Each structure stands twice: as C-alpha cells, then as structure tokens.
C-alpha cells in the first residue's frame, strides 16, 4: 500500500465516525507508525508501506474510529511545550492543568525548594516543575505502578531528575528528611456518580483511578489537606487543580485545617481551576527523601 492509498482508506473510515479533524488524526497516526513527521507523510504520497505496517495502521484507524483518544494511539502529547509519552496507564494531560504548573513554577521560581507532586500520573506536573525550576528537588508519587513507569519514562525523555515513590497518598513517603516547601496535586475529582455521564472517550479509555474522587468528588482534597500540615514546612504552600464548582468546598476544607492566604485562580474558560494556600503552622513530622 502507498502512503496516499493508506490515507484515503483512513479518511474513508474516519469520515463515518464521530472524529472531528479526522484528516489530521489520520496523518498523525501514519506519521507515528512510519516514524516520520506529518510533513513527510504529506509530501511523499508514493512511498510504499509494508503489509505489516499497513495492517497496524488500519487497526489503529479503526481504534480511533471507535473513539480511542489520539494520544493513546500515537503515544505522544505536548504539555507546557514539553513532549510526553502517553499510554492507557495514565490520564491524558489536560490543557487546564497548565495553569496549575504555571502557578507552581511562578511560586517556586529559582529557589532550592522541595516539591511533592501527589498522583503524578504521566508526570507532567513534576516534569514541568523540574524543567523550569532547576534548583527544585521534586518528589512524585502515585499508587499505580504502571503510571509511575510512564512518569519515569517522561522524566528521562525530558532530561530531569525526579524522586519517584509508589504508594497511597502520603504513605508513599517513608524516609526521614526535609519537609516540603510545596505540595501540588491534580487529584481525581469527579463524583463517582458523574463518571457514567462523562464522554465515552474518557470513561471507556482513561484509568478510572485517575478520575474517581468519591461520592462528592472531594475525597482526595480532604485526605491530602487533612495530613498536609504534617509534611509541609512552616509557610509552605499547597496547590491543587479543582473541578467545576469545587472552589468553595476546597476553601472550607483548607480553612478548617488551618491553611491561610487561600487564592482561587481561573482557567481560560473563566472557571475556578487552581487553589493555592499557605501552611501557617510549622510541620509536625520529619518525612521523605
Ligand atoms: N498529575 C497527572 C495530571 O495532572 O495529568 C495525573 C492526575 S490524575 C487526575 C490523578 C492521579 O492520581 C492518577 O495518576 C492516579 O493513579 C493517582 N492516584 C489515585 N489515587 C491515588 C492515591 N490514593 N495515592 C496516590 N495516587 C493516587
Ligand atoms: N479534568 C479531568 C476531566 O475532565 C478530570 C481530572 C481529574 O479528576 N483530576 O475528565
């Protein structure tokens, strides 16, 4: 099969699916399979594709037509102008999460701060910070071993050193050391009952443990904020991504736990997206790294 024949077959399949911008998807998937870029694909229509690669291509196109998200097929996603390897072990990075990383990078700056990213998934937050705050010492945790494997790969791809720890929230941290100056998390925050209302491309393909925030969507905020004081330095900061309509509840949980200087930052759609707060109290326990 030649490149243009493969593309036409793909356009034909995808035109009958719900995929919008399907020409680009078809070109990107072929580029990935042939290990070329999109421009090469478009300028070399007569190149031959081996039968084995043609089969893989048409299978991938059919996966896309059934609703599999593009990053799970091409295994790539750009986030915060950095390249990431993505597979079905991790949530696909959302553009909105760039606001959390941008806020964290501004607050951390060039300080030699200790930073903890809880529920790192693909590692986008930890890697984004490590890349832009060169003096920061970044620890990243997850309770999915497969996600941690993907995050490690992404640290290597982007040439940054991150300390990875496996485990449930703070239980991942065992050793004694400096308290954290920053705790950052984009935890699962969808209400359990709302998962079934999500787009099929999310609920059928993305890891449920990356989405389910318990009955009211706030389980992880309560758990993390309830224990964060033990792990944060005095005047250390906590930063969260939040879902629609959660700002008020998260603010209340923070206030109840003695956090001050609470700020809510909006996303480009003018929705509350990031919450930051300060730990006015000193830390209680020595932990980690
Ligand atoms: N940080 C990534 C991002 O922003 O794209 C992933 C965020 S995803 C919403 C939440 C992550 O938390 C998932 O990778 C999931 O495996 C992890 N997670 C869920 N429960 C956890 C727990 N109890 N302890 C640690 N990580 C957990
Ligand atoms: N923003 C994601 C979504 O809309 C949810 C991510 C999360 O739970 N932190 O599906």
């Amino acid at each position: 099969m030649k490149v243009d024949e493969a593309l036409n077959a793909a356009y034909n399949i995808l035109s009958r699916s719900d995929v919008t911008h399907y020409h680009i998807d078809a070109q990107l998937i072929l580029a990935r399979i042939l290990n070329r870029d999109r421009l090469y694909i478009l300028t070399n229509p007569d190149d031959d594709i081996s039968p084995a690669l043609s089969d893989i291509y048409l299978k991938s196109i059919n996966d896309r037509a059934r609703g599999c998200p593009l990053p799970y097929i091409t295994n790539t996603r750009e986030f915060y102008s950095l390249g990431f390897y993505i597979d079905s072990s991790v949530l696909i990075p959302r553009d909105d999460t760039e606001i959390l990383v941008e806020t964290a990078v501004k607050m951390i700056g060039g300080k030699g701060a200790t930073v903890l990213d809880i529920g790192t998934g693909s590692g986008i937050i930890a890697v984004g910070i490590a890349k832009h705050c060169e003096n920061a010492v970044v620890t990243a945790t997850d309770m999915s071993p497969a996600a941690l494997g993907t995050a490690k790969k992404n640290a290597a791809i982007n040439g940054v050193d991150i300390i990875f720890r496996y485990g449930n929230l703070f239980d991942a941290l065992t050793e004694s050391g400096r308290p954290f100056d920053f705790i950052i998390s984009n935890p699962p925050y969808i209400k359990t009952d709302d998962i079934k209302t999500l787009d099929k491309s999310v609920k059928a393909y993305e890891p449920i443990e990356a989405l389910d925030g318990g009955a009211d969507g706030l389980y992880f905020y309560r758990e993390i904020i309830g224990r964060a004081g033990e792990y944060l330095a005095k005047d250390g900061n906590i930063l969260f991504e939040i879902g629609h309509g959660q700002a008020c509840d998260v603010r209340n949980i923070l206030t109840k736990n003695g956090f001050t200087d609470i700020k809510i930052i909006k996303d480009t759609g003018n929705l509350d997206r990031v919450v930051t707060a300060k730990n006015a109290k000193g830390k209680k326990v020595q932990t980690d790294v």
Side-chain angles (χ1 to χ4, degrees):
M1 201 184 240
K2 292 192 182 298
V3 162
D4 63 345
E5 289 166 344
L7 286 176
N8 285 329
Y11 298 155
N12 189 25
I13 295 167
L14 290 173
S15 67
R16 288 181 267 117
S17 75
D18 294 335
V19 178
T20 46
H21 312 299
Y22 63 81
H23 292 93
I24 296 178
D25 286 23
Q27 293 155 14
L28 288 171
I29 293 170
L30 187 56
R32 166 73 185 168
I33 285 168
L34 298 182
N35 210 12
R36 301 278 189 178
D37 61 23
R38 209 175 128 225
L39 184 63
Y40 182 91
I41 298 302
L42 293 175
T43 50
N44 290 276
D46 294 328
D47 267 18
D48 278 319
I49 308 174
S50 71
L53 289 182
S54 301
D55 284 351
I56 293 173
Y57 182 55
L58 292 178
K59 184 190 162 296
S60 301
I61 291 296
N62 279 306
D63 288 345
R64 183 73 189 106
R66 277 191 291 273
C68 182
L70 184 66
Y72 289 153
I73 298 175
T74 59
N75 297 122
T76 55
R77 175 81 167 190
E78 195 183 289
F79 176 86
Y80 209 60
S81 303
L82 299 169
F84 288 87
Y85 168 86
I86 298 298
D87 64 23
S88 57
S89 68
V90 295
L91 187 89
I92 296 167
R94 305 294 201 261
D95 291 345
D96 288 331
T97 305
E98 292 194 344
I99 297 161
L100 177 64
V101 176
E102 193 183 353
T103 306
V105 165
K106 268 192 214 144
M107 289 172 77
I108 299 165
K111 292 192 281 264
T114 47
V115 180
L116 172 64
D117 171 21
I118 300 178
T120 197
S122 57
I124 50 166
I125 298 172
V127 170
I129 291 170
K131 196 80 189 169
H132 286 86
C133 306
E134 53 179 293
N135 297 316
V137 178
V138 184
T139 300
T141 76
D142 209 289
M143 66 159 219
S144 155
L148 271 185
T150 299
K152 282 180 191 168
K153 200 179 260 195
N154 281 321
I157 288 170
N158 286 286
V160 290
D161 284 326
I162 290 171
I163 301 153
F164 287 103
R165 294 278 184 263
Y166 165 78
N168 176 29
L169 302 179
F170 293 103
D171 298 346
L173 312 172
T174 49
E175 298 149 47
S176 172
R178 239 179 98 179
F180 293 102
D181 300 307
F182 292 87
I183 294 178
I184 299 166
S185 186
N186 172 17
Y189 55 62
I190 311 281
K191 291 180 188 167
T192 307
D193 279 351
D194 288 351
I195 303 265
K196 58 179 179 300
T197 69
L198 297 176
D199 193 83
K200 185 185 134 214
S201 65
V202 177
K203 67 181 176 211
Y205 292 96
E206 302 210 57
I208 182 83
E209 64 274 20
L211 297 165
D212 190 345
D216 63 358
L218 299 167
Y219 171 81
F220 287 97
Y221 300 108
R222 273 192 295 270
E223 289 293 311
I224 295 172
I225 295 166
R227 290 182 66 192
E230 300 170 34
Y231 297 86
L232 268 175
K234 178 164 165 44
D235 292 333
N237 291 281
I238 192 158
L239 292 82
F240 287 113
E241 176 171 318
I242 56 168
H244 303 174
Q246 291 179 324
C248 207
D249 289 323
V250 173
R251 178 193 286 278
N252 287 340
I253 301 168
L254 284 163
T255 306
K256 244 189 244 163
N257 285 276
F259 282 82
T260 59
D261 293 41
I262 300 167
K263 294 192 180 76
I264 316 279
I265 298 157
K266 290 187 186 292
D267 62 21
T268 48
N270 208 32
L271 298 168
D272 295 333
R273 182 59 64 190
V274 167
V275 178
T276 71
K278 197 180 276 292
N279 178 43
K281 294 183 280 188
K283 75 170 193 73
K284 297 176 200 144
V285 183
Q286 289 281 337
T287 41
D288 196 57
V289 295

